[in-house]
Amino acid sequence: MQNYTEIDNFIDTISRDPQLNMRVSHIEVIKEKEAEFFDFPSDLDETLSLALRNSGIEQLYSHQVKSYSLLKEGKNVVIVTPTASGKTLCYNIPVINAILKDETARALYLFPTKALSYDQLEGLERLLNALKKGIASFTYDGDTPKDIRKSVREKSRIVLSNPDMLHKAILPHHTKWNGLFSNLRFIVIDELHNYRGIFGSQVANVIRRLKRISRHYGSSPQFILSSATIANPAELAGRLIEEEVELINKSGSPQGRKYFILWNPPLVDRELGLRRNYISEAQLATEKLMKLRIQVILFARSRLNVEILTSRLKEKFEKNPKIIGKIRGYRGGYLPNERREIEQALRDGEARVVVSTNALELGIDIGSLDGAILAGYPGSIASTWQQAGRAGRKEKSSIAILVASSEPLNQFLINHPQYLFGESPEKGLINPDNLLILIAHIKCAAFELPFREGEQFGKEPLDEVLSYLEEKGVLHKSGSQWFWTEDSYPADTFGLRNIPGENFIIVDRTGGKARSIGEVDYASAPMLLHEKAIYIHSGEQYHVDKLDFVERKVYVRKVTVNYYTDAIEYTKVKVLDNFDTKDEVNWGEVCVTKRVVGYKKIKLSTFENIGFGDVNLPENEMHTTCYWFTINRERLKNLGFTDEAIIYGLYGISYIVGNIAPLFLLCSRMDIGVHLGDKEGLWSFQGDVIKKDRQAIDEIKKRLYLPTIFIYENYPGGVGFAYELFSIHPELLQRALDEIKSCSCNTGCPSCIGPSFITNINIKEISLGILDEILQKNTIEG
């Protein structure tokens, strides 16, 4: 095949081209695989069999048949097979077959995004139209016109929606959906790996409410879930739906040869560990493939980077009139019709390059591409494979290139490719019983249906929580039932992406007129909207005049200035309760106290620091779960380092540990906090805040008796991240040691232990010495 030769020749040129060879650190060759076919199940409706054959499908893949068989036995399934392996038919075939055999049967499909719902609807309708049986399917989301919503509720046999719409619009108004809930046979949950952390914990409670309402109407639906590759798909699926789940993870689909290249930009300053900009390097990689006439999707990590790369590529290639219109950008913010047109251009081959955010990572049909380039690590191994999997369909050969940035986790994966190409270490973790989340959804459930004495919502009896809500005046007990008493419905007061709580309303008072322009969550408000901050909203600059904690309002006015502000935050961590000690490390509850103490003014054009300001805000306390370890100071003294050097060495360890921990958690770096201090909260080291404060350094040196590194969850109550790190100790520290050793810098850099801001101390050497002591001599104390 022509494309095979072009891609294969490109791989061959790498060893002969010095400029390419210096950038490519690893090439993984994923071999071809033949399809494993089975005949249609004998009890498959003849009309459906004929429609499949008319669509060009003569046989099914082995995993599709296994899904059908397990569902026929009444089991729930989770399908974990590669991108473009035909997972959609794993649920469409059994659902449509059930509807053909029982005209009252209904199904609910849940997708994480509206765009994916619409794309899946197109494929579903093609199959339903081929049946010619009049089976109706509709999407139901915020864009569904109000004049057809009644028709959707009454006529749709398959409803395609998303968890947010289910939470706010369907469950609270379940009486209008009597036909769906009375006959609900299947619930499909696509892209399971997205339902982790806070979002997954929230959705698990939405599923509890969904099952409760289904029982009320007399139905008991089966669940069909699909997921990208993670370490614990069956466990995550089971926790999400709180039922037994059968895992299907052997794919019967064919697979062409794939070359997966790890591309590390060359060093421009070895001492500081600085590398050539990864955006420019991703552009270079794209240009190389374009010259070989390879159709490419280039994933960027932000909307801004999408526009930058699209503009640069157009500027370089559209001098040739034949290329005009062949390079396209794709991101949120484009109109739906424009996005559909770009998707069609990719399928038809008219677009040769599309630069996209992760909006095209999910299963939207964009045809068969030859190459995928990732400008920076997407944040999880699951997302990496989702994006890389957009290139290469069925037997075609393909190429994927991950262009690394200088960030520690990017460099860790470049230096340890086995984490990408071996068994995934990432676990999807949720905690549906987080008290703040649980209470919020109990309120929603009480609005939907009264609670009965002894009823459960999840694993625990509810009488204590219901009595508490009765005392708060939102529930009223009559006989053996608790009833909702307020006029408004609670699902409208919070979304699923954050911990439920009171948000701050942003009020623009420019020109004397007050208008609301947005909201921000309680925890983020002090950092983003402290007084004198410059807040940027929809490209406009606003000066914050007042942050009102009592009214939960922020008053701002439009300005035009040449800088933005970066808050300086002081943090303390104090141990409240030790849940468990294992291998001399700890997992428990801590109190995290944060206070914004000032801000820096950063010039927009050069990013230089042009000034400081003081802020006087109250402390904000959060109780959460944490993993921590305390290092024996006397053993540290034996290493021969000064107390000051030890402080900086421990700070370097906390920096690298915090940056590589997400690799094991399927979470963002922002989901966890890292802190260096002691267990009593008497002192802490704040890096940028304290580095110039010699008095503070001296004070810490006097008190450096129990130096402790904390990794805590950035959500009240936590969702399980801390326990997972506790359970895999000391692997995280060993990986940190390996990464520091493999870094090419001499004294420390942003790719390993952080910027080295002390000229007379080799922080890298000290961090390595401390980690060696911890890991080899077992000096951690519980």
Side-chain angles (χ1 to χ4, degrees):
M1 290 184 293
Q2 183 182 10
N3 280 326
Y4 175 86
T5 303
E6 289 167 349
I7 292 172
D8 203 49
N9 285 341
F10 175 74
I11 298 298
D12 291 340
T13 62
I14 290 174
S15 59
R16 301 193 301 268
D17 185 334
Q19 289 300 310
L20 280 177
N21 197 41
M22 69 184 292
R23 288 170 162 84
V24 174
S25 65
H26 181 84
I27 301 176
E28 187 79 9
V29 182
I30 301 165
K31 294 181 179 179
E32 306 93 327
K33 174 181 166 294
E34 292 186 356
E36 185 179 358
F37 285 115
F38 282 80
D39 291 334
F40 292 147
S42 59
D43 64 339
L44 195 67
D45 188 278
E46 291 183 7
T47 310
L48 179 54
S49 298
L50 180 61
L52 290 169
R53 287 191 173 95
N54 290 338
S55 302
I57 300 171
E58 296 290 338
Q59 291 180 299
L60 298 180
Y61 298 137
S62 57
H63 61 279
Q64 294 168 340
V65 172
K66 186 173 183 180
S67 173
Y68 182 91
S69 300
L70 289 171
L71 290 165
K72 183 182 173 183
E73 296 172 13
K75 296 180 178 179
N76 305 305
V77 299
V78 56
I79 303 112
V80 185
T81 55
T83 304
S85 60
K87 286 196 285 282
T88 302
L89 285 182
C90 289
Y91 49 80
N92 277 345
I93 288 176
V95 167
I96 295 172
N97 194 64
I99 292 173
L100 288 170
K101 293 181 181 298
D102 177 3
E103 62 180 18
T104 66
R106 301 283 190 96
L108 174 65
Y109 288 15
L110 298 175
F111 300 97
T113 66
K114 289 190 291 186
L116 187 53
S117 296
Y118 284 107
D119 184 77
Q120 291 294 317
L121 178 65
E122 290 180 13
L124 176 61
E125 285 187 332
R126 283 195 295 270
L127 184 54
L128 293 177
N129 290 336
L131 290 171
K132 299 179 181 178
K133 290 288 187 178
I135 298 174
S137 62
F138 294 92
T139 58
Y140 192 84
D141 56 37
D143 295 336
T144 304
K146 291 186 177 180
D147 59 345
I148 70 164
R149 291 190 176 191
K150 183 178 180 182
S151 179
V152 173
R153 292 193 295 265
E154 293 178 354
K155 297 179 180 180
S156 183
R157 308 286 291 283
I158 303 174
V159 177
L160 291 78
S161 191
N162 56 70
D164 308 272
M165 199 69 176
L166 183 63
H167 162 59
K168 287 197 172 187
I170 297 177
L171 296 180
H173 306 291
H174 59 86
T175 54
K176 296 180 179 180
W177 293 85
N178 179 26
L180 174 69
F181 290 118
S182 297
N183 302 284
L184 190 56
R185 288 280 302 278
F186 292 104
I187 297 171
V188 173
I189 302 176
D190 196 23
E191 308 290 350
L192 167 70
H193 57 283
N194 283 283
Y195 300 106
R196 79 259 187 180
I198 293 300
F199 182 45
S201 302
Q202 296 264 29
V203 171
N205 279 283
V206 174
I207 299 299
R208 287 171 172 174
R209 290 159 52 198
L210 171 58
K211 290 169 66 176
R212 183 170 181 257
I213 287 172
S214 297
R215 287 193 300 269
H216 175 74
Y217 286 96
S219 65
S220 180
Q222 287 176 259
F223 286 85
I224 310 172
L225 306 98
S226 70
S227 175
T229 301
I230 57 176
N232 64 334
E235 178 191 352
L236 177 59
R239 292 214 68 192
L240 190 73
I241 69 171
E242 296 183 315
E243 294 185 25
E244 292 291 324
V245 180
E246 295 288 330
L247 174 65
I248 301 171
N249 61 356
K250 183 182 178 183
S251 174
S253 63
Q255 177 179 287
R257 177 177 297 190
K258 182 185 287 288
Y259 296 98
F260 202 129
I261 294 175
L262 299 186
W263 178 301
N264 206 16
L267 284 162
V268 294
D269 189 322
R270 182 173 296 276
E271 179 66 26
L272 296 177
L274 299 178
R275 296 182 177 274
R276 190 168 182 265
N277 181 272
Y278 76 99
I279 296 295
S280 300
E281 290 289 298
Q283 178 185 340
L284 174 62
T286 305
E287 291 171 1
K288 294 283 185 183
L289 296 189
M290 283 185 70
K291 290 175 181 176
L292 295 173
R293 300 180 183 176
I294 293 173
Q295 191 182 19
V296 177
I297 182 168
L298 168 56
F299 284 102
R301 292 166 62 184
S302 70
R303 294 182 178 187
L304 176 62
N305 285 340
V306 166
E307 299 300 340
I308 290 172
L309 283 164
T310 304
S311 298
R312 286 182 179 179
L313 290 168
K314 283 185 173 183
E315 183 180 350
K316 178 151 189 169
F317 286 96
E318 286 192 347
K319 295 171 184 175
N320 180 350
K322 293 182 179 179
I323 302 297
I324 294 175
K326 304 285 188 183
I327 299 169
R328 309 294 295 271
Y330 186 105
R331 61 172 177 78
Y334 287 12
L335 294 174
N337 289 343
E338 186 178 6
R339 292 201 299 270
R340 300 294 88 77
E341 186 267 322
I342 296 169
E343 293 161 15
Q344 188 63 48
L346 277 169
R347 289 193 290 267
D348 296 342
E350 289 299 315
R352 301 306 301 168
V353 175
V354 64
V355 186
S356 175
T357 59
N358 61 0
L360 282 178
E361 174 185 313
L362 302 180
I364 295 170
D365 182 13
I366 54 173
S368 179
L369 306 182
D370 308 312
I373 296 175
L374 287 59
Y377 177 60
S380 72
I381 292 173
S383 289
T384 300
W385 281 106
Q386 288 279 97
Q387 293 183 9
R390 300 308 272 166
R393 297 280 168 140
K394 297 186 178 179
E395 294 87 354
K396 288 187 65 176
S397 294
S398 62
I399 184 170
I401 302 174
L402 171 60
V403 180
S405 73
S406 295
E407 293 176 2
L409 191 48
N410 280 249
Q411 291 301 308
F412 178 86
L413 289 168
I414 288 291
N415 294 322
H416 304 89
Q418 68 272 20
Y419 279 89
L420 272 178
F421 303 114
E423 188 173 335
S424 173
E426 295 177 329
K427 283 190 174 183
L429 303 171
I430 61 173
N431 178 18
D433 295 319
N434 176 297
L435 193 57
L436 292 176
I437 295 174
L438 182 65
I439 288 177
H441 285 277
I442 288 173
K443 290 179 181 179
C444 296
F447 172 86
E448 291 153 4
L449 291 170
F451 274 106
R452 303 181 307 275
E453 282 186 352
E455 185 176 352
Q456 289 188 316
F457 189 79
K459 297 178 180 178
E460 302 297 329
L462 288 177
D463 289 1
E464 186 177 340
V465 175
L466 295 174
S467 298
Y468 165 77
L469 293 175
E470 185 181 16
E471 291 175 10
K472 292 294 183 181
V474 298
L475 296 184
H476 171 69
K477 189 176 184 183
S478 177
S480 61
Q481 292 183 305
W482 278 271
F483 294 84
W484 183 255
T485 60
E486 296 192 347
D487 294 332
S488 61
Y489 68 94
D492 199 39
T493 64
F494 69 97
L496 301 180
R497 314 288 166 153
N498 297 297
I499 289 279
E502 293 184 78
N503 289 348
F504 281 81
I505 306 297
I506 305 170
V507 180
D508 175 19
R509 297 196 294 193
T510 304
K513 293 182 179 180
R515 66 184 184 99
S516 173
I517 60 171
E519 295 185 15
V520 69
D521 64 275
Y522 182 88
S524 301
M527 288 288 288
L528 299 175
L529 293 161
H530 57 80
E531 292 179 5
K532 300 179 185 177
I534 299 299
Y535 177 70
I536 301 176
H537 179 84
S538 297
E540 301 275 0
Q541 291 179 309
Y542 294 86
H543 182 275
V544 178
D545 295 327
K546 184 179 181 181
L547 175 61
D548 189 332
F549 278 87
V550 177
E551 296 293 329
R552 295 289 192 269
K553 290 184 178 179
V554 185
Y555 297 99
V556 302
R557 55 184 165 83
K558 282 186 180 181
V559 294
T560 301
V561 293
N562 68 342
Y563 67 92
Y564 65 92
T565 52
D566 184 17
I568 301 170
E569 188 176 56
Y570 178 79
T571 304
K572 287 192 303 182
V573 177
K574 182 178 180 180
V575 174
L576 300 177
D577 193 5
N578 187 354
F579 298 154
D580 199 2
T581 299
K582 179 182 177 183
D583 296 331
E584 299 179 309
V585 298
N586 300 274
W587 165 62
E589 183 180 7
V590 297
C591 176
V592 179
T593 304
K594 295 185 178 183
R595 183 166 69 92
V596 175
V597 296
Y599 61 91
K600 295 177 281 188
K601 293 182 178 180
I602 309 297
K603 193 171 183 178
L604 285 166
S605 57
T606 63
F607 301 107
E608 62 183 306
N609 190 335
I610 58 174
F612 290 88
D614 293 325
V615 175
N616 184 22
L617 289 179
E619 291 183 337
N620 183 21
E621 289 190 352
M622 173 182 69
H623 289 199
T624 188
T625 50
C626 181
Y627 146 75
W628 72 88
F629 50 92
T630 301
I631 303 100
N632 185 301
R633 188 189 182 201
E634 297 306 315
R635 293 285 185 89
L636 292 178
K637 276 190 171 182
N638 293 336
L639 295 174
F641 302 131
T642 65
D643 281 342
E644 182 177 358
I646 289 171
I647 293 170
Y648 290 121
L650 291 170
Y651 186 73
I653 294 171
S654 67
Y655 177 90
I656 183 65
V657 164
N659 276 288
I660 66 173
L663 179 66
F664 301 90
L665 302 174
L666 197 57
C667 76
S668 144
R669 175 64 181 85
M670 301 302 293
D671 291 330
I672 58 174
V674 183
H675 182 72
L676 171 62
D678 74 346
K679 288 191 289 189
E680 302 303 319
L682 297 175
W683 63 266
S684 60
F685 184 72
Q686 305 294 314
D688 284 346
V689 177
I690 210 169
K691 67 186 180 186
K692 296 180 180 178
D693 189 343
R694 298 307 311 172
Q695 184 178 352
I697 288 283
D698 292 340
E699 184 65 21
I700 288 176
K701 285 160 60 177
K702 293 177 186 176
R703 295 181 172 180
L704 188 61
Y705 297 110
L706 294 172
T708 303
I709 292 176
F710 301 89
I711 304 181
Y712 59 87
E713 302 193 44
N714 261 332
Y715 305 106
V719 295
F721 297 147
Y723 179 76
E724 180 63 23
L725 294 177
F726 167 75
S727 67
I728 66 170
H729 184 90
E731 183 178 358
L732 182 61
L733 298 187
Q734 184 62 56
R735 300 288 77 79
L737 178 71
D738 294 343
E739 180 57 19
I740 297 172
K741 283 182 176 179
S742 62
C743 188
S744 60
C745 70
N746 294 323
T747 61
C749 72
S751 293
C752 59
I753 53 86
S756 181
F757 44 76
I758 303 298
T759 56
N760 61 337
I761 297 177
N762 188 326
I763 300 176
K764 180 176 182 177
E765 177 187 349
I766 297 161
S767 297
L768 285 171
I770 295 172
L771 280 171
D772 272 328
E773 183 71 12
I774 292 172
L775 291 167
Q776 295 178 16
K777 296 187 179 180
N778 193 29
T779 61
I780 299 177
E781 293 186 343

